[in-house]
Amino acid sequence: MTGSGEKETLRRTTRITLAGFILNILLSSFKLAGGILSNSNALVADGVHSLSDCITDVAILIGAKFWTRPSDVNHPHGHSRIETLISGFIGFFVVITSVYIAWKSFGAIMNPAETPPGWPAFAVAVIAILAKGILSRWTFRISRELKSAALAANAMHQRSDALSSIPVAVVVLAARIEPSLIVMDGIGWVIVSLFIFKLGIDIIRPALWQLSDTAAPPEIIEELRRIALSVEGVKNVHNLRTRYQGDGVQADMHIVVDGSMPLEEAFFILKKVEQDLYLMGPGVVDVMVRLEPG
Ligand SMILES: [Zn+2]
Ligand SMILES: [Zn+2]
């Protein structure tokens, strides 16, 4: 990646994350003000959640300054593990949120509220569902364009926030139709907490795979082997190892060439193998090839 490409990645990552940060500040202000004015503890608690959502935005705003840096003396493999760590942190945060919501739902089932949340809570919930839903789609799109695992993690977090506003909206409507339907409150929270828990695990899993140096899937390894073997003069490929660096694949391997070949010619073959792997290898960002006579 060129220097200007890294700056552009940082600029776009910062812009979308700042948009999410500002939305969280706005939503939490609405919820806290509305909750205090209408004496609704549920809305105040929701406002505190929106305020805490800023934590994952801040983690990305700070982390992106580091993970978009090119490799240097201290981090010769690049800084993408920092992005992986932050993705894992976001997943952990989402799981904690789901546990908190499950705990809250338990309270709502044991002691159902006597009056449903009012229309202000409904309005805030609908705004939150729409705003977070749109923001999540936008963040997902940019995460794909930038191949950013941390932005994808934050997009899933935003989706979980949209989900967590659904029970409030549903219970307000349901209780207008039939007051006893207020019991849906607790059940709604249980369902939502399960969805959010799954989202959190889905964020954590790939981060753990990367941190534990899990290899690329077999079909990718086969493809890399095929590319190396198709270079003229390569007799054999072995010790093919892969692992992930951010969303990119890092590969190393031994190639066997005719031992009586002049070094210059053998080195040319090695260069061609590396070049082809960069050009055609799926997701390849780093290649190391060792030459062996055979
Ligand atoms: Zn959240
Ligand atoms: Zn070998």
Side-chain angles (χ1 to χ4, degrees):
M1 200 185 263
T2 64
S4 67
E6 283 143 7
K7 276 212 186 74
E8 176 67 5
T9 300
L10 177 60
R11 197 182 64 79
R12 297 187 66 194
T13 303
T14 303
R15 198 174 51 178
I16 180 69
T17 309
L18 261 183
F21 179 82
I22 291 167
L23 178 64
N24 280 328
I25 296 287
L26 286 176
L27 283 177
S28 59
S29 313
F30 282 147
K31 290 173 181 175
L32 289 173
I36 291 165
L37 289 176
S38 65
N39 235 334
S40 160
N41 286 334
L43 206 49
V44 170
D46 205 19
V48 173
H49 171 199
S50 290
L51 200 58
S52 75
D53 283 334
C54 293
I55 294 171
T56 68
D57 298 328
V58 171
I60 289 188
L61 288 172
I62 295 173
K65 287 203 194 308
F66 294 95
W67 83 62
T68 54
R69 279 185 194 169
S71 52
D72 54 28
V73 179
N74 289 325
H75 292 86
H77 291 285
H79 297 80
S80 56
R81 287 287 150 101
I82 295 171
E83 181 172 10
T84 311
L85 268 180
I86 292 195
S87 307
F89 167 75
I90 294 173
F92 182 70
F93 181 87
V94 171
V95 166
I96 295 289
T97 306
S98 78
V99 172
Y100 167 73
I101 290 176
W103 172 69
K104 207 166 82 167
S105 69
F106 188 68
I109 289 173
M110 298 311 283
N111 307 301
E114 270 159 25
T115 50
W119 290 111
F122 177 79
V124 170
V126 170
I127 291 170
I129 294 166
L130 291 177
K132 284 280 179 170
I134 293 166
L135 180 71
S136 172
R137 283 174 154 264
W138 185 20
T139 309
F140 258 124
R141 211 190 59 214
I142 293 183
S143 80
R144 272 195 300 272
E145 285 171 19
L146 299 180
K147 293 201 172 106
S148 168
L151 278 185
N154 214 24
M156 282 166 88
H157 173 205
Q158 289 154 357
R159 182 184 287 173
S160 80
D161 291 336
L163 272 176
S164 73
S165 293
I166 291 176
V168 180
V170 170
V171 85
V172 172
L173 284 183
R176 299 287 140 163
I177 299 164
E178 168 56 53
S180 67
L181 283 179
I182 197 164
V183 293
M184 284 175 65
D185 195 22
I187 299 163
W189 287 115
V190 173
I191 296 170
V192 158
S193 75
L194 289 175
F195 272 111
I196 294 179
F197 182 77
K198 189 189 174 298
L199 275 172
I201 297 296
D202 286 347
I203 299 172
I204 291 175
R205 202 186 294 124
L208 279 185
W209 277 345
Q210 285 192 23
L211 290 176
S212 56
D213 278 349
T214 306
E219 57 272 20
I220 290 191
I221 295 180
E222 256 333 290
E223 178 67 7
L224 299 180
R225 186 188 306 280
R226 198 193 57 74
I227 291 169
L229 275 173
S230 66
V231 172
E232 213 187 313
V234 177
K235 291 162 74 175
N236 174 281
V237 173
H238 60 266
N239 282 35
L240 204 173
R241 302 189 305 177
T242 56
R243 64 177 186 180
Y244 279 91
Q245 197 175 303
D247 269 0
V249 174
Q250 187 191 334
D252 53 68
M253 64 187 72
H254 302 177
I255 58 168
V256 180
V257 298
D258 183 354
S260 61
M261 183 183 277
L263 176 61
E264 208 173 323
E265 216 174 296
F267 187 69
F268 180 80
I269 292 174
L270 179 146
K271 277 285 151 205
K272 175 88 172 95
V273 169
E274 287 192 341
Q275 204 179 39
D276 282 4
L277 286 168
Y278 276 122
L279 283 176
M280 298 182 281
V284 169
V285 292
D286 192 16
V287 176
M288 185 73 205
V289 179
R290 186 167 102 178
L291 207 55
E292 278 176 27

